[in-house]
Amino acid sequence: MTADAAGPSTTDPNPRTWPADVPLADLDFWSGSLEEREQGFARLRGTWPMPYYPEPESPLPAGPGFWALTRHADVAEASRRPEDFCSGQGATHIPDFPPEFAEFFGSIIEMDDPRHQRLRRIVSRAFTPRMIKKFESDVDATAKEIVDDVVERGACDFVTDVAARLPLKVICDMMGVPTKDHRFVFDRSNVILGVADPEYVEQEGGGHIEALLTAGAELAELMRDLAGFRRDNPTDDVTSALVNAEVDGESLTTDELASFFVLLLAAGNETTRNAISHGLRLVTEHPDQRELWLSNFERYTPTAVEEIVRLASPVVWMRRTATRDTDLNGKPVREGDKMLLFYWSANRDEAVFTDPLGFDITRDPNPHVGFGARGPHFCLGAHLARREITLLFRELFERLPDIRTVGEPQRLRSSFINGIKHMNCEFTPRPRA
Ligand code: HEM
């Protein structure tokens, strides 16, 4: 049953109905225009901040539905209370996954304490500022190489030729994946996050689930082989550190390492790629902000990067599940209820951000939740992502200061990832370095 757009029509403070004109469970809504999406969420935040939706169509058995959390305060509160709103029953998908998925897709993002804490402590050592510093010169060299490959052309597909290459290479290099396997890894990670998009997965015949499982299994296999090799032949890569060292007497099993690798590819690759692509779109649409940023790159970069992540919100939502009958800022929920934390909407909440749809590279403070809100699952790769965005924009602005998008970006068909698949760009050509 749906109610009308004005707001809930019953006296129940939290009715299990949804507004028909903001169809969040319908994939077509997510392929529609960004303006429509912005208006829809603004209406929800203003009149009906936590509607209940049926689950989207899926080859997996349909569940009872989900609450959509659209306000910043509700997203922050749910993230802060992991004992009431857990991640262990599913975080990146709405239907519950069958047990065979856990083998490849069951890493820390889908775990609760104490197991989450134990594993996070071990993998965190790959993401300390010291480790990131160590990789910084590699990230910088990769950014230079990527820009060098396009600099003479005057035009390219910014996503596939520039934005997608950096995060993929950074993760593969960190983990010690040989260059010959990077393309293989890229294709499989596209399948995992683009499973509803016909460019990556054939949509007829219901083969999505098989495609997802195959991609996960192939990546896990690659990592198992690598881990086996690094146990006996350690280098300074993260795989060697994770399989050989111990934290408080514990290290990762090969299977834990394999599913962590699949998570890193999913969590660190598409997200950063999309932040970079949206970044170029935003500076193209806001020439005054580009001018300002170019006028003093070092000064404006820290706030510009946060503003890009806020407006891009590359991860649109994460799921939590209520572990008991409770309430969320006064709205009752029952044990087992699923909730989607819409970061994309929270990041445009007019109760928190002045001129929320504006792109302001000096915005400070900027309490966005693009990397998640404060809580145990806050993005482990946030520092790394910030460095990647910074170093790539530094290289682009130094060598191609007039780079701009042309035409409409081709967006990914997904409610979960705010993705751009292809986006043409132009610039004044320059000689290679
Ligand atoms: C702009 C880029 C990125 C964005 C927007 C982003 C966003 C997020 C979000 C929203 C979460 C979930 C937070 C929650 O459930 O409370 C997350 C978790 C995570 N991210 Fe990122 N991320 C980015 C880049 C990266 C990178 C580069 C890596 C690593 C290479 C990474 C690794 C992870 C991991 C391992 C988790 C799971 C943490 C846990 O469950 O304890 N992310 N990220």
Side-chain angles (χ1 to χ4, degrees):
M1 182 179 54
T2 59
D4 67 30
S9 55
T10 75
T11 49
D12 182 341
N14 217 17
R16 288 179 184 250
T17 55
W18 65 97
D21 66 335
V22 194
L24 299 190
D26 180 349
L27 209 46
D28 288 340
F29 172 79
W30 295 94
S31 320
S33 78
L34 284 182
E35 290 70 28
E36 230 171 82
R37 198 194 286 183
E38 265 160 1
Q39 286 162 10
F41 273 106
R43 207 155 51 240
L44 291 180
R45 286 190 302 273
T47 58
W48 199 341
M50 201 170 128
Y52 194 85
Y53 283 88
E55 294 196 9
E57 264 182 52
S58 157
L60 294 170
F66 63 88
W67 296 110
L69 278 53
T70 64
R71 284 187 183 162
H72 191 281
D74 290 343
V75 167
E77 177 73 3
S79 307
R80 225 173 39 76
R81 289 168 51 192
E83 61 296 341
D84 292 334
F85 306 113
C86 73
S87 298
Q89 295 180 38
T92 56
H93 43 94
I94 306 174
D96 291 335
F97 271 175
E100 61 267 31
F101 274 58
E103 189 181 344
F104 319 122
F105 301 112
S107 192
I108 55 171
I109 207 160
E110 307 258 342
M111 281 178 197
D112 297 314
D113 289 347
R115 194 157 175 239
H116 170 260
Q117 206 175 28
R118 180 195 141 241
L119 284 180
R120 179 151 172 146
R121 217 172 35 228
I122 299 174
V123 296
S124 290
R125 87 178 74 140
F127 294 93
T128 57
R130 200 173 57 85
M131 271 308 239
I132 290 168
K133 194 103 207 123
K134 182 155 109 50
F135 287 108
E136 192 140 304
S137 57
D138 292 348
V139 178
D140 199 28
T142 305
K144 286 190 160 61
E145 197 182 299
I146 291 170
V147 174
D148 219 32
D149 284 347
V150 297
V151 74
E152 291 173 320
R153 289 162 48 186
C156 65
D157 178 338
F158 186 75
V159 180
T160 52
D161 292 333
V162 179
R165 290 183 56 196
L166 183 68
L168 178 81
K169 183 153 187 329
V170 169
I171 295 174
C172 285
D173 287 349
M174 266 178 79
M175 301 303 283
V177 175
T179 310
K180 69 172 176 44
D181 293 325
H182 289 194
R183 181 77 218 185
F184 174 89
V185 170
F186 180 71
D187 290 342
R188 270 67 189 172
S189 54
N190 275 341
V191 168
I192 292 173
L193 282 157
V195 72
D197 192 296
E199 179 168 338
Y200 304 118
V201 180
E202 166 69 54
Q203 299 296 300
E204 302 302 318
H208 315 46
I209 300 300
E210 216 178 296
L212 198 63
L213 276 174
T214 306
E218 287 174 339
L219 289 171
E221 190 56 32
L222 178 83
M223 189 37 66
R224 280 199 200 96
D225 287 350
L226 194 61
F229 186 68
R230 286 286 173 252
R231 244 182 249 286
D232 304 327
N233 306 279
T235 63
D236 64 351
D237 67 22
V238 168
T239 302
S240 306
L242 292 179
V243 292
N244 293 311
E246 291 189 350
V247 170
D248 300 335
E250 298 201 81
S251 58
L252 285 189
T253 65
T254 306
D255 283 348
E256 284 168 343
L257 182 73
S259 63
F260 181 62
F261 175 57
V262 176
L263 170 63
L264 279 192
L265 287 171
N269 192 11
E270 287 263 343
T271 48
T272 314
R273 166 205 313 190
N274 286 310
I276 293 168
S277 300
H278 282 288
L280 184 67
R281 179 182 65 75
L282 286 163
V283 294
T284 304
E285 288 169 5
H286 301 270
D288 59 321
Q289 297 298 300
R290 173 205 295 266
E291 279 298 298
L292 187 64
W293 197 357
L294 278 170
S295 73
N296 191 334
F297 186 82
E298 300 306 326
R299 173 173 170 196
Y300 293 114
T301 292
T303 44
V305 169
E306 298 307 317
E307 183 68 343
I308 287 173
V309 175
R310 178 182 78 87
L311 279 179
S313 297
V315 178
V316 178
W317 53 259
M318 279 282 168
R319 179 185 141 193
R320 298 291 191 267
T321 308
T323 58
R324 63 184 180 96
D325 291 353
T326 179
D327 76 283
L328 181 74
N329 288 335
K331 296 175 278 294
V333 287
R334 284 191 228 130
E335 180 178 347
D337 279 358
K338 300 176 185 184
M339 27 238 308
L340 297 200
L341 283 53
F342 277 95
Y343 302 126
W344 196 89
S345 175
N347 281 340
R348 287 160 172 76
D349 190 337
E350 33 297 277
V352 175
F353 302 100
T354 35
D355 185 18
L357 303 185
F359 176 55
D360 173 3
I361 65 159
T362 65
R363 193 183 291 275
D364 187 23
N366 186 345
H368 72 80
V369 288
F371 291 116
R374 194 180 293 251
H377 291 277
F378 183 81
C379 178
L380 193 56
H383 289 306
L384 178 61
R386 290 183 180 112
R387 289 313 292 158
E388 288 183 44
I389 300 168
T390 299
L391 294 174
L392 188 59
F393 272 96
R394 177 185 291 156
E395 195 60 24
L396 285 170
F397 282 171
E398 268 174 18
R399 300 183 60 196
L400 306 171
D402 64 352
I403 186 167
R404 64 208 169 269
T405 66
V406 282
E408 279 300 301
Q410 262 185 50
R411 301 210 332 263
L412 179 72
R413 189 171 154 82
S414 165
S415 77
F416 178 59
I417 292 290
N418 186 26
I420 300 181
K421 294 189 295 181
H422 303 285
M423 187 169 73
N424 292 327
C425 72
E426 285 177 356
F427 44 85
T428 308
R430 303 276 157 100
R432 290 175 72 100

